[in-house]
Amino acid sequence: MASKFQAPRGTFDVLPAAGRARARLQAVATGIFERAGYEMIQTPTFEDTDLFERGVGKSTDIVRKEMFTFEDKGERSLTLRPEGTAPICRAYLEHGMHKQAQPVKLSYVGPFFRHERPQAGRYRQFHQLGIEAIGTDSPLADAEVIMLLSDLLGELGVPGVALRLGSLGSLDARAAYLEELKAHLHRHEGDLTADVRERIDINPLRAFDSDDAGVQGVMASAPTILDALSAEDQEHFDEVRALLDAAGIGYELDGTLVRGIDYYTRTIFSFVCDALGGQSEIGGGGRYDGLIEQLGGPATPAVGWAAGIERILLALDEEEPRRGRDAFVAIADPEQRRRAMALVTELRNAGFSAEMDLAGRGLKGQLKHADRIGAARVLILEAGGTAQLRDMASGEQRAADTGNLLGEMTGGEA
Ligand code: AMP
């Protein structure tokens, strides 16, 4: 029954089989976030375009090429959110959260949009979950958020995960290093791609991310930020590392690590999974001590991460089996339909999973359907108000008292 309509390029439908695996992932994540005090926040799916231009950075690929931007009827420029941190910082300021006890610890989950070239693990609408700890510059917060992502991937059983860790230094201290890096890039302009060359002066760090062999050659001899950290930034980074060491979280130091968003300062990290192909990053983040000020608020240090739900599920590559039903209420006599409705409701209200026939099948068809949906027991409602309870595994069937339905279900008194 194909129609000419399909999900737009780079998007996908989540069908129930895949939805079950998502539900498990979200339940595990919610448990971890709640136990650590990261409370749920939801922001709109679109924001003023300006928020992302200022927050994510005008020279980034996201802002230059990947945003779904449109004008509303009032000629305001809006953008489907490409990431979650700038909106959360906007909400933090808008709702005066800087007046609450700090840090404010938040978690989120939802759809994000980037106009990227679609491939396995890279979509135009994808889903992220993430956390932010806003209002502290303590290395403890960096270590805590990293540990929570490590715990999440561990509890889900994602195989082959490695953590890369770096520091970009604070904004002021980074300036001198960036001049050094720009000079290096200018010296090797002939070996760079046009894209990297154009951005030498506006975003030289991005050159570390290039997959072009010529650029990679130039970057192999480039100075790295880890050798140029200020004393304070070095001390902060050393403490983050010591805390991770103490917690038994292994990582690989990476002086070439950069992220595709401008707001990062100091600690940055990336969890990669060798089970994934080209798009091997499962989640990552870092500190963004300058972002809230950049958005017009008071100087407010913060740290957080986002992980891609589709990437985690790809790495897990397993389907969550469909759970059976505790009971199916079968209608042997059409007169019993209202009673069936009442009994199925009674079962559901008592916490049992229960279904009934919605398709007008005969009794034989209903038993077949009950078997197909994995019902453990079938309550057969007969003419005159009697009933039978059938155990689907053994095939045993006995008379049942529907006045004591819950007792019948548990095999004793209700
Ligand atoms: P970012 O917001 O760029 O730091 O990305 C955080 C995480 O989101 C990545 O590690 C990926 O797991 C996921 N992600 C980013 N972009 C996409 C995309 N286009 N499709 C699917 N997942 C993505």
Side-chain angles (χ1 to χ4, degrees):
M1 270 192 291
S3 101
K4 73 184 178 90
F5 295 111
Q6 291 183 338
R9 192 164 142 72
T11 71
F12 50 86
D13 300 306
V14 178
L15 301 180
R20 288 194 290 273
R22 275 172 193 255
R24 179 177 90 91
L25 190 164
Q26 282 195 31
V28 171
T30 304
I32 288 176
F33 298 162
E34 278 181 358
R35 290 195 296 276
Y38 287 75
E39 294 211 87
M40 168 78 116
I41 183 168
Q42 288 182 14
T43 61
T45 309
F46 54 82
E47 298 269 356
D48 288 339
T49 300
D50 195 33
L51 173 70
F52 299 114
E53 288 182 346
R54 265 174 178 270
V56 175
K58 275 195 160 150
S59 68
T60 59
D61 280 350
I62 292 180
V63 170
R64 284 176 8 135
K65 307 180 197 162
E66 297 171 1
M67 297 207 300
F68 284 93
T69 296
F70 59 97
E71 235 178 46
D72 72 2
K73 292 193 165 62
E75 293 178 8
R76 283 172 288 261
S77 179
L78 299 171
T79 293
L80 295 183
R81 59 183 187 180
E83 63 94 53
T85 302
I88 287 176
C89 290
R90 195 260 313 132
Y92 175 90
L93 287 172
E94 189 171 332
H95 302 286
M97 289 190 234
H98 58 286
K99 293 187 208 117
Q100 298 175 7
Q102 306 293 300
V104 173
K105 301 201 291 185
L106 300 168
S107 65
Y108 63 93
V109 58
F112 292 88
F113 307 85
R114 293 182 195 171
H115 198 283
E116 296 196 83
R117 194 165 48 80
Q119 54 184 277
R122 196 203 264 169
Y123 313 98
R124 291 182 175 171
Q125 173 171 347
F126 55 99
H127 299 79
Q128 285 185 341
L129 47 83
I131 58 174
E132 318 284 358
I134 306 177
T136 174
D137 65 0
S138 169
L140 281 164
D142 305 49
E144 175 167 287
V145 298
I146 293 172
M147 276 162 63
L148 292 176
L149 182 47
S150 171
D151 284 353
L152 173 63
L153 300 176
E155 198 170 322
L156 289 169
V158 180
V161 174
L163 167 61
R164 293 195 189 132
L165 186 70
S167 174
L168 292 173
S170 49
L171 285 175
D172 297 344
R174 197 192 304 166
Y177 164 74
L178 290 181
E179 289 311 315
E180 223 186 300
L181 180 60
K182 285 179 200 169
H184 177 81
L185 290 167
H186 280 302
R187 277 197 299 277
H188 297 88
E189 267 187 38
D191 298 320
L192 303 177
T193 58
D195 197 46
V196 171
R197 211 179 311 126
E198 267 170 35
R199 278 192 280 176
I200 293 181
D201 292 309
I202 49 172
N203 198 349
L205 283 172
R206 290 297 292 165
F208 282 113
D209 239 6
S210 170
D211 41 24
D212 177 84
V215 178
Q216 286 174 352
V218 174
M219 298 322 282
S221 61
T224 68
I225 181 85
L226 284 185
D227 298 322
L229 293 179
S230 70
E232 283 97 8
D233 292 340
Q234 185 70 55
E235 198 185 317
H236 190 276
F237 191 46
D238 289 345
E239 184 60 17
V240 173
R241 292 181 57 187
L243 288 164
L244 293 177
D245 291 340
I249 296 190
Y251 56 85
E252 190 186 304
L253 263 196
D254 188 347
T256 67
L257 189 61
V258 288
R259 302 196 61 72
I261 297 176
D262 274 357
Y263 51 60
Y264 288 112
T265 52
R266 293 193 158 177
T267 315
I268 50 169
F269 54 90
S270 168
F271 282 82
V272 291
C273 171
D274 61 16
L276 296 175
Q279 305 302 314
S280 65
E281 191 192 88
I282 282 202
R287 227 172 222 295
Y288 47 94
D289 292 344
L291 177 56
I292 289 184
E293 209 175 353
Q294 178 77 17
L295 299 180
T300 311
V303 61
W305 52 258
I309 291 183
E310 289 76 24
R311 301 247 177 111
I312 296 177
L313 294 172
L314 273 175
L316 284 172
D317 191 28
E318 56 191 38
E319 292 215 336
E320 194 71 9
R322 185 173 188 185
R323 299 236 316 264
R325 305 290 183 276
D326 297 319
F328 183 85
V329 178
I331 305 161
D333 166 47
E335 291 293 307
Q336 302 298 317
R337 282 191 307 193
R338 290 192 189 147
R339 196 159 144 246
M341 192 107 235
L343 291 171
V344 93
T345 303
E346 184 183 342
L347 285 168
R348 289 172 184 168
N349 289 344
F352 292 105
S353 58
E355 289 192 54
M356 61 183 280
D357 181 49
L358 299 178
R361 295 179 177 89
L363 181 60
K364 216 170 136 200
Q366 291 181 60
L367 288 173
K368 210 166 144 192
H369 184 68
D371 190 45
R372 196 179 297 145
I373 65 172
R377 271 166 286 196
V378 178
L379 181 72
I380 304 168
L381 302 182
E382 300 166 318
T386 55
Q388 303 279 327
L389 190 63
R390 183 186 179 96
D391 183 294
M392 294 298 275
S394 65
E396 263 171 46
Q397 193 168 305
R398 60 179 168 82
D401 171 13
T402 53
N404 177 26
L405 181 58
L406 304 183
E408 296 280 5
M409 284 294 289
T410 49
E413 294 300 307

